[in-house]
Amino acid sequence: MIPSTVRDRLKTALNITGLRVYDTIPDGLVPPAAVIGQLSIDFDLTLVKGVESGTVDIMVIAGRMSERAAQDYLDNLLQSTGASSVKTKVESDQTLGGATSSVRVVRAEPISISVSGVDMLAYRFQVEVWG
């Protein structure tokens, strides 16, 4: 499993209208945006090389904390199905174009992120990958 390839394929999978997606951590961004974090990897799960699992966080930043539109936008992304569902988009190709053997969104957690000194409403999606 090559981390940069996994991040790149996740970026491609998150083709949600209006969402800017970064597969590396940017210096700055304009919401709505998704930032794909670094992978945590567990090696040699079956005591032989080649079987790995990992997790990666996708932070989706919608807008200022006080904006109702930001919450409404996040609500659409949080659905478990549909054209704007992060879970549906990520899991639509279980191999991420051959980068993994399996991918699954397991959790979504509300967070706030400061962007240029402004607190933004966001969610952290935790993704499990197997390679």
Side-chain angles (χ1 to χ4, degrees):
M1 184 166 33
I2 302 168
S4 60
T5 303
V6 172
R7 288 192 313 270
D8 182 56
R9 302 290 168 77
L10 285 170
K11 177 181 179 179
T12 301
L14 287 171
N15 59 348
I16 297 171
T17 301
L19 184 66
R20 295 169 193 83
V21 182
Y22 301 89
D23 60 347
T24 58
I25 299 169
D27 290 333
L29 56 81
V30 176
V35 178
I36 300 165
Q38 302 296 312
L39 271 74
S40 296
I41 299 176
D42 293 317
F43 298 102
D44 306 333
L45 294 174
T46 59
L47 303 177
V48 293
K49 289 193 175 284
V51 178
E52 305 163 345
S53 74
T55 58
V56 60
D57 289 339
I58 300 172
M59 278 69 65
V60 178
I61 301 107
R64 289 193 328 258
M65 296 287 284
S66 61
E67 289 182 8
R68 179 177 177 84
Q71 182 61 62
D72 291 343
Y73 186 79
L74 283 174
D75 288 347
N76 286 326
L77 300 179
L78 284 165
Q79 297 178 52
S80 61
T81 62
S84 296
S85 164
V86 169
K87 182 171 179 60
T88 296
K89 292 292 188 174
V90 168
E91 295 177 355
S92 66
D93 174 5
Q94 281 294 299
T95 68
L96 294 175
T100 67
S101 60
S102 177
V103 63
R104 186 170 73 109
V105 178
V106 295
R107 179 179 170 87
E109 155 184 37
I111 59 173
S112 66
I113 293 179
S114 181
V115 177
S116 300
V118 177
D119 287 336
M120 299 281 179
L121 189 59
Y123 264 84
R124 175 184 297 125
F125 291 84
Q126 185 180 34
V127 179
E128 287 181 350
V129 292
W130 290 83

